Amino acid sequence: MNWSHIQLVFTREMRDQLRDRRTMFTICVLPLLLYPLMGLLMLQLAQVKTPQRFTIAVVEQIDKDAFEDIVRDPTTASDNSLRWSRWPSESELGAEILASLPGREEPKEPTDQDGPSQQVPGSVDHARVEGLLRKTQADAILCVSEPRDETSDLSVSSLPLRFPHFLILSNQRLERSRLAVLQLQKHIDAMHGAWARAHLLAQHIDSSVWNGPRIVHLDVATSADRQALVWSKLLPFIMLVWALTGAFYPAVDLCAGEKERGTLETLLSSPASRREIVWGKLLTIMCFSIATALLNLMSMVVTTSFVMRHWATSNSNGAWGAVGPISFDLIVWLVLLVVPMSAMFSALALAVASLARSTKEGQYYLMPLMLVGFPLVMLPALPGITLSSGTSIVPVTGAVLLSRALMDGEYATALAYLPSVLCVTTLCCLLATRWAVRQFENESVLFSETEKGSMKNWLIRMWIHRSSHPSATESVLCGLAILVGLFFGRLAMGAQPFSWDTFATSTVVIQIGLMLGPTLIMAVMLTRSVRVALRLNLPRIDDLIACTLLAVCLHPTYVRLANLVNREYPLGPETIEALQQFDGVLASVPFLSILLVLALLPAVCEELVFRGFVFSGLLENKGVLRAVIGSAVLFGLSHGVLQQTICATIMGLLMGWMAYRTGSVVCTILFHFLHKALTMTITAWSSSKQSFPEALDWFIGASSESFEYSQQWTNASVAVSLILIFWLSFRSQRSLGRVSVPVAEPGCGTLTAG
């Protein structure tokens, strides 16, 4: 690349963006105004204190002294949040309330399924209860009854012999009624504590028995450390959101805006190559992304320092006492986090914005991009998510957790996982940049016009101009539609009782009805040749032999990979229980049925979908890397368990490479079937508690109902696999000189003998 061309493009784009008043206002002026206004509003709201007081109507056949015992505050510090009104049973309204109650039964013991307030048995006239609440002008009605079993002969001053029963009538649809019930329950609990202590004293028992053990918690963290913990969870999320927002709007203007202004053609006709143009625009977008994030951070630092100082010197800090000003260390680590994240977000925003035909259309693409990035940004804020070898390889999440470890002073942990985070972040940046370059090299993307017309004309035009293979958009839509269907299908079939018949039926429905069926329909309707769309080409014999040997030799590596993934991402107890139940069911099923349902059927259906239709569409315009990665990701997401998703994605990369080198989906079907059949065979053999033949001792061994490959065979299988992969790559590339790609079928990945 010519860096002088990149510098010229960068200078041109920066000058154009700095002239745009809307961009400068969004990046420079808005952060300086936004956070001070937010701080001003928060200070104003903090001054507004409206104490909540709830009216409770008490009714039942109780005397005045009993009523005073109920309304008396049993705690030492009363907040006076409850206002009481008595309605004796002799009064007209009190009798009406009692008449509206269902049959009086002894309250049952609360269970784990019960909510904070136990529902009344029997039927209740809801309209009548709402009318009673309006008549009493109360937020809740408390009905008190004496306990029926009075076998105790204790006499404790003015307290009843047994704690009374309470019945609460409320309308949980109203916010005040819901809050009144919560406050009333706290009051009743405090009453019960005072009543129990009085009974213990009457029996000459120390009341500390009721209080339980005394727990003293000594926290060695300083207030500054606790305040830094709050900011370390909140600030990365805010900073990355602003970095993504600051990257997207300039990207839309540099792509869709130039299309509207007609200046993109002039730039593309310059001596600078497409890659140099992309790098010039990318550096421009990065500058605005970093500037947006840093200016927002600066405004937040200034605003919070004044707001927190005001709360610290006033009595209105409340819960905000745990939050202090942002320290300088946090600012340094946040700046280091923003730079690589802005680079990745800028490349993604540039690639996505290049698809837009107008500025208005480009703005619509912001929300999907943010929805994809939000889970990765919010995941580190969840409790229990820490920096580990498993989380460090998750894009964006690993970088946020690394910055949090640095903010918390865990430098040894951060240094241990720094290489993996850097490698993943760099790889994501390179892939995003490559995608952006490919978008700018595609003339149909840069100079596409807005399609207008009726839906009927669009369908007719699509039917007439359909090709022998699907387009990239059609293949991606097929994969996404299958994922949505699998999501709802598994939820609908998840509540069925587990048995082999139900499991086999659900597997057939998922594989044929939700995966293969939609793919065949789209292949028939959107392409001229189902064979070409599904890559059903006749493979070569040496390709089949190589795939067979690879399936056997790579199985030990896959087992090690699965064990590593399960160690880094442990299975939940529900998943382990389901797997144990599944193994127990398989013990009584014929092995041939297991192979047909769990090995052959998924191999055929999944490969025709992902290495067939999806791969064929993504291979359009020589998008080999896009086809391999895209089909692998969709293939991995089709599995319902996270551990299977990770392993399937990694194996999908290999099978996608095999599909491209061999030019046929038959080879990947064979590889997929042999791989699963080998797993089922060894698992069934080891679970039957039978020892393997002595001839296999050099390869595999069984222990405690599990199998494990020997180290010597694992090393040898890796060496053989590398030789086979090298040979297959060399053989395929050598044969490319003797083949030609049909002109009518560009990008289908099918090699025809010349």
Side-chain angles (χ1 to χ4, degrees):
M1 290 188 299
N2 191 333
W3 287 101
S4 61
H5 291 170
I6 297 177
Q7 182 181 2
L8 288 175
V9 175
F10 171 71
T11 305
R12 170 186 179 271
E13 303 298 349
M14 284 292 296
R15 183 171 58 251
D16 291 342
Q17 290 298 308
L18 292 175
R19 290 174 179 174
D20 190 357
R21 289 176 296 178
R22 290 176 299 179
T23 302
M24 296 307 299
F25 176 81
T26 304
I27 294 177
C28 299
V29 181
L30 182 60
L32 301 178
L33 298 177
L34 178 62
Y35 295 102
L37 291 177
M38 291 177 58
L40 176 63
L41 181 61
M42 293 174 64
L43 290 177
Q44 295 292 331
L45 293 178
Q47 299 174 6
V48 179
K49 288 188 176 181
T50 306
Q52 292 277 356
R53 297 201 65 185
F54 307 102
T55 302
I56 308 297
V58 183
V59 59
E60 190 48 281
Q61 295 179 353
I62 54 177
D63 55 15
K64 184 177 180 180
D65 294 336
F67 176 77
E68 294 297 331
D69 291 335
I70 294 175
V71 302
R72 184 184 300 117
D73 185 9
T75 61
T76 57
S78 173
D79 56 0
N80 297 322
S81 60
L82 298 179
R83 182 188 297 111
W84 307 91
S85 64
R86 185 190 181 200
W87 297 91
S89 58
E90 296 83 5
S91 63
E92 179 179 355
L93 189 55
E96 184 180 355
I97 294 175
L98 294 177
S100 65
L101 301 180
R104 307 304 302 274
E105 301 179 8
E106 289 292 333
K108 64 179 181 178
E109 292 295 328
T111 61
D112 295 338
Q113 288 75 22
D114 293 331
S117 59
Q118 184 179 330
Q119 298 297 324
V120 178
S123 59
V124 180
D125 190 348
H126 300 279
R128 190 173 184 180
V129 172
E130 291 182 6
L132 293 174
L133 288 172
R134 288 193 296 268
K135 289 181 180 180
T136 58
Q137 297 181 351
D139 299 304
I141 299 176
L142 179 65
C143 300
V144 186
S145 63
E146 298 290 345
R148 296 185 179 182
D149 183 14
E150 298 182 358
T151 57
S152 176
D153 56 354
L154 298 177
S155 59
V156 183
S157 64
S158 61
L159 292 175
L161 297 180
R162 296 190 62 187
F163 198 68
H165 295 158
F166 296 98
L167 180 64
I168 302 176
L169 300 179
S170 66
N171 185 4
Q172 296 291 292
R173 185 184 62 183
L174 303 177
E175 181 70 12
R176 284 189 56 85
S177 183
R178 185 181 65 84
L179 296 177
V181 171
L182 295 176
Q183 199 67 26
L184 182 58
Q185 288 174 342
K186 295 180 181 179
H187 182 83
I188 294 175
D189 291 340
M191 283 179 55
H192 182 260
W195 174 87
R197 292 185 184 90
H199 277 69
L200 291 175
L201 290 176
Q203 292 290 328
H204 304 289
I205 301 176
D206 190 0
S207 61
S208 61
V209 175
W210 174 259
N211 295 331
R214 182 186 179 188
I215 301 175
V216 179
H217 180 206
L218 179 59
D219 188 6
V220 297
T222 62
S223 59
D225 295 335
R226 290 190 292 269
Q227 293 168 359
L229 178 63
V230 176
W231 286 120
S232 65
K233 291 185 177 182
L234 180 62
L235 283 180
F237 174 77
I238 299 177
M239 293 288 291
L240 294 184
V241 169
W242 276 111
L244 178 57
T245 306
F248 191 81
Y249 286 106
V252 171
D253 184 71
L254 293 180
C255 295
E258 288 210 63
K259 292 180 183 179
E260 293 179 335
R261 294 188 295 268
T263 58
L264 184 61
E265 292 84 352
T266 305
L267 179 62
L268 295 177
S269 61
S270 65
S273 64
R274 301 295 174 89
R275 183 181 298 273
E276 294 167 353
I277 293 175
V278 168
W279 275 101
K281 291 179 176 292
L282 180 60
L283 292 177
T284 304
I285 298 172
M286 278 185 58
C287 291
F288 282 92
S289 176
I290 296 174
T292 303
L294 294 183
L295 286 174
N296 278 273
L297 177 62
M298 182 186 68
S299 181
M300 288 183 62
V301 170
V302 175
T303 303
T304 54
S305 62
F306 284 99
V307 172
M308 299 307 169
R309 186 180 299 113
H310 173 78
W311 273 336
T313 56
S314 63
N315 297 325
S316 60
N317 55 349
W320 294 98
V323 182
I326 303 175
S327 64
F328 179 76
D329 295 340
L330 295 181
I331 299 175
V332 173
W333 300 126
L334 284 173
V335 172
L336 295 179
L337 170 66
V338 164
V339 173
M341 292 297 99
S342 295
M344 185 174 66
F345 289 156
S346 300
L348 287 174
L350 182 61
V352 173
S354 63
L355 299 173
R357 293 180 286 263
S358 63
T359 304
K360 182 179 180 181
E361 180 183 349
Q363 293 175 355
Y364 293 152
Y365 296 155
L366 175 61
M367 186 55 65
L369 187 61
M370 296 188 72
L371 290 178
V372 174
F374 269 7
L376 298 177
V377 178
M378 296 177 63
L379 183 62
L382 298 178
I385 303 298
T386 57
L387 185 62
S388 62
S389 55
T391 56
S392 62
I393 61 176
V394 180
V396 182
T397 300
V400 175
L401 292 176
L402 178 66
S403 64
R404 276 183 49 185
L406 293 173
M407 295 175 191
D408 297 338
E410 301 176 358
Y411 302 113
T413 303
L415 186 61
Y417 296 107
L418 178 62
S420 59
V421 174
L422 286 180
C423 291
V424 171
T425 305
T426 304
L427 179 62
C428 292
C429 292
L430 293 177
L431 291 176
T433 306
R434 179 182 174 87
W435 184 28
V437 172
R438 292 296 301 271
Q439 296 293 84
F440 270 78
E441 292 175 348
N442 191 349
E443 301 290 341
S444 61
V445 173
L446 291 180
F447 302 108
S448 59
E449 297 181 357
T450 304
E451 299 178 358
K452 297 181 180 180
S454 63
M455 179 64 67
K456 178 181 178 181
N457 295 334
W458 179 76
L459 293 175
I460 294 174
R461 186 167 59 252
M462 183 183 64
W463 175 263
I464 294 175
H465 297 288
R466 69 189 190 278
S467 177
S468 298
H469 58 86
S471 64
T473 303
E474 293 168 350
S475 62
V476 172
L477 289 178
C478 177
L480 295 179
I482 288 175
L483 294 181
V484 174
L486 291 175
F487 173 75
F488 289 106
R490 284 167 177 159
L491 288 180
M493 295 181 290
Q496 298 179 359
F498 188 84
S499 64
W500 171 251
D501 294 335
T502 58
F503 180 79
T505 303
S506 62
T507 302
V508 172
V509 171
I510 289 175
Q511 294 292 333
I512 298 180
L514 300 180
M515 297 182 68
L516 185 59
T519 304
L520 293 178
I521 293 174
M522 295 188 69
V524 172
M525 296 183 61
L526 301 178
T527 64
R528 295 182 180 272
S529 174
V530 177
R531 181 188 65 82
V532 174
L534 299 181
R535 298 173 57 82
L536 290 171
N537 306 308
L538 186 64
R540 294 176 48 169
I541 299 300
D542 52 357
D543 290 341
L544 295 177
I545 296 175
C547 292
T548 301
L549 295 177
L550 275 175
V552 176
C553 295
L554 284 176
H555 196 262
T557 304
Y558 179 81
V559 172
R560 296 290 179 91
L561 173 65
N563 294 334
L564 176 63
V565 171
N566 290 333
R567 184 170 66 250
E568 296 298 333
Y569 306 95
L571 294 172
E574 297 180 356
T575 306
I576 296 177
E577 183 180 356
L579 292 176
Q580 293 175 349
Q581 188 178 8
F582 177 71
D583 294 338
V585 171
L586 292 184
S588 59
V589 179
F591 184 68
L592 181 60
S593 301
I594 297 176
L595 285 182
L596 292 177
V597 176
L598 299 182
L600 182 60
L601 182 63
V604 174
C605 296
E606 293 176 1
E607 293 307 310
L608 288 177
V609 173
F610 297 104
R611 253 67 61 180
F613 189 85
V614 174
F615 191 90
S616 176
L618 293 176
L619 201 59
E620 185 181 22
N621 297 323
K622 299 180 181 180
V624 179
L625 184 63
R626 177 184 60 186
V628 172
I629 297 178
S631 60
V633 171
L634 292 174
F635 173 65
L637 292 176
S638 64
H639 295 73
V641 184
L642 174 63
Q643 292 76 10
Q644 293 181 355
T645 297
I646 298 174
C647 297
T649 301
I650 297 175
M651 292 301 294
L653 296 174
L654 174 64
M655 289 190 288
W657 171 84
M658 292 171 55
Y660 171 70
R661 289 300 183 182
T662 60
S664 174
V665 75
V666 178
C667 295
T668 57
I669 291 177
L670 178 63
F671 178 90
H672 196 156
F673 169 72
L674 292 177
H675 176 78
K676 284 207 165 188
L678 191 61
T679 301
M680 297 295 173
T681 303
I682 299 178
T683 303
W685 204 335
S686 60
S687 61
S688 62
K689 299 182 180 181
Q690 297 180 4
S691 59
F692 291 98
E694 296 181 359
L696 299 178
D697 289 344
W698 193 82
F699 300 92
I700 193 171
S703 61
S704 64
E705 300 184 0
S706 63
F707 66 91
E708 183 178 0
Y709 283 103
S710 62
Q711 187 63 40
Q712 56 267 24
W713 167 238
T714 302
N715 298 334
S717 65
V718 171
V720 175
S721 300
L722 293 177
I723 294 174
L724 289 172
I725 292 174
F726 175 79
W727 176 85
L728 191 59
S729 302
F730 177 76
R731 200 271 324 154
S732 298
Q733 290 186 357
R734 183 181 61 187
S735 64
L736 288 176
R738 298 184 291 105
V739 299
S740 60
V741 180
V743 177
E745 301 172 1
C748 65
T750 305
L751 302 180
T752 307

